Amino acid sequence: MAYQNLLSEVKDNILYIVINREKALNALNKETLQELADVIAFAEKNEEVRGVILTGAGEKAFVAGADIKEFSNYNGTQGEELARKGQENVFNAIENSSKLFIAAINGFALGGGLELAMACHIRIAADNAKLGLPEVTLGLIPGYGGTQRLTQLVGKGKAIELITTANAISAVEAEKIGLVNYTVPQADLINKAREILDIVKQRAPLAISAAIQAVNASINTDHGFETEIKAFGKCFETDDFKEGVTAFVEKRPAKFSGK
Ligand code: CAA
């Protein structure tokens, strides 16, 4: 698929998405959000895609937030619609995807940019990255799920501090508080993300999907344990389960079909 503001390529079962508005520090304008929604839907239905690496063009920014210039004249209704549509079509769609999304944070991840990274299942930061939610400097609050996901990831105390001060933190600090999984040199960023997906790719696809949904249910619903029980049961109905157990008994690597 050809996009105006994204580069995308499937290679060795990994979908690479690069947000490509380097001059605007990859800020999320309407068009980019729509293209992200489209490429996420593509990843979801494409069986070849086993995982996704999401990053920003250049070495300065992952994403510097929502495109401030676009919504400077918005009223309350438009603001609410922006947040609702963005959350549903992009941010929640990533979080609930059956494919594992890794954010490779190659520089500034601010506002909607950090929210995008937090919607991904795993975050890896380059050592030059700066992460923050500066919305209150604009008279706003995060609108793409930032108040919820930051709290889930780092706890209420740190989340309140980061959101109310608007202070950006370094990759090392972000790793210390659990906001990112790893900090690596910029040059190793994509390799580190690929290394994780190369492992995940060998696992059973339906089990990966079930694991993501069950973990999500622990924070987004009040029936996480029941979701796990049901998903666990469903796994027994899959060919992948039969193959996994047979391969174990036959002492060979499993060859999963995702069925
Ligand atoms: N929206 C639109 N354009 C942006 C942008 C954004 N979020 N961030 C940067 N840009 C543009 C700048 O306007 C500038 O464009 P021009 O050359 O045409 O003027 C270009 O990108 C380069 O930026 P700077 O010259 O500002 O670069 P810098 O190195 O001096 O500063 C920065 C970098 C600290 C990241 C600074 O650009 C900045 O503070 N950006 C805004 C960050 C922000 O407030 N993000 C939150 C947005 S609100 C939001 O996301 C709401 C939500 O939750 C839904």
Side-chain angles (χ1 to χ4, degrees):
M1 243 184 285
Y3 300 102
Q4 295 299 312
N5 301 302
L6 303 180
L7 303 174
S8 77
E9 181 192 15
V10 181
K11 205 171 160 210
D12 298 330
N13 301 103
I14 297 173
L15 171 65
Y16 295 83
I17 305 172
V18 180
I19 299 172
N20 192 28
R21 298 187 71 217
E22 200 175 338
K23 282 196 180 132
L25 302 187
N26 304 319
L28 299 174
N29 62 359
K30 258 196 194 147
E31 205 177 25
T32 307
L33 283 168
Q34 184 54 55
E35 290 185 354
L36 276 171
D38 293 344
V39 77
I40 294 159
F42 164 80
E44 194 55 35
K45 62 174 191 280
N46 189 314
E47 280 182 18
E48 194 192 338
V49 175
R50 297 294 318 279
V52 181
I53 298 176
L54 178 59
T55 193
E59 297 201 340
K60 186 167 172 184
F62 172 71
V63 167
D67 193 313
I68 298 167
K69 291 163 192 166
E70 231 178 34
F71 59 63
S72 54
N73 295 319
Y74 272 20
N75 63 28
T77 309
Q78 289 168 302
E80 201 177 309
E81 195 190 332
L82 179 84
R84 194 179 304 284
K85 245 183 107 178
Q87 287 195 19
E88 283 174 6
N89 298 341
V90 177
F91 297 76
N92 297 353
I94 290 175
E95 182 172 68
N96 295 322
S97 174
S98 60
K99 315 292 170 84
L100 196 80
F101 274 68
I102 301 186
I105 305 171
N106 55 312
F108 288 113
L110 300 176
L114 180 54
E115 292 173 297
L116 189 64
M118 291 194 293
C120 293
H121 305 110
I122 291 175
R123 283 154 294 286
I124 303 171
D127 48 12
N128 69 324
K130 288 266 181 239
L131 303 90
L133 292 175
E135 284 86 347
V136 296
T137 66
L138 302 166
L140 294 172
I141 65 166
Y144 289 146
T147 61
Q148 306 304 297
R149 291 196 179 95
L150 186 62
T151 308
Q152 290 162 356
L153 284 164
V154 306
K156 184 175 166 185
K158 264 290 168 197
I160 290 269
E161 180 189 336
L162 288 171
I163 292 168
T164 59
T165 61
N167 285 343
I169 57 173
S170 68
V172 170
E173 178 68 14
E175 185 180 339
K176 208 167 79 190
I177 63 173
L179 182 53
V180 302
N181 299 54
Y182 299 99
T183 305
V184 297
Q186 170 93 255
D188 298 339
L189 186 61
I190 300 298
N191 280 343
K192 180 68 190 172
R194 190 184 300 122
E195 193 181 291
I196 294 172
L197 286 183
D198 280 344
I199 297 171
V200 174
K201 262 163 46 180
Q202 298 168 42
R203 314 304 186 215
L206 294 174
I208 296 297
S209 166
I212 293 171
Q213 305 318 320
V215 171
N216 284 348
S218 76
I219 42 178
N220 295 335
T221 72
D222 61 359
H223 48 268
F225 286 97
E226 188 55 28
T227 301
E228 180 183 286
I229 289 167
K230 290 261 160 53
F232 181 71
K234 265 178 98 176
C235 288
F236 286 87
E237 308 289 329
T238 65
D239 291 349
D240 281 353
F241 162 67
K242 292 182 188 84
E243 165 62 9
V245 172
T246 307
F248 175 78
V249 172
E250 293 176 358
K251 299 188 187 301
R252 60 167 174 84
K255 275 191 79 176
F256 294 115
S257 64
K259 303 241 165 27

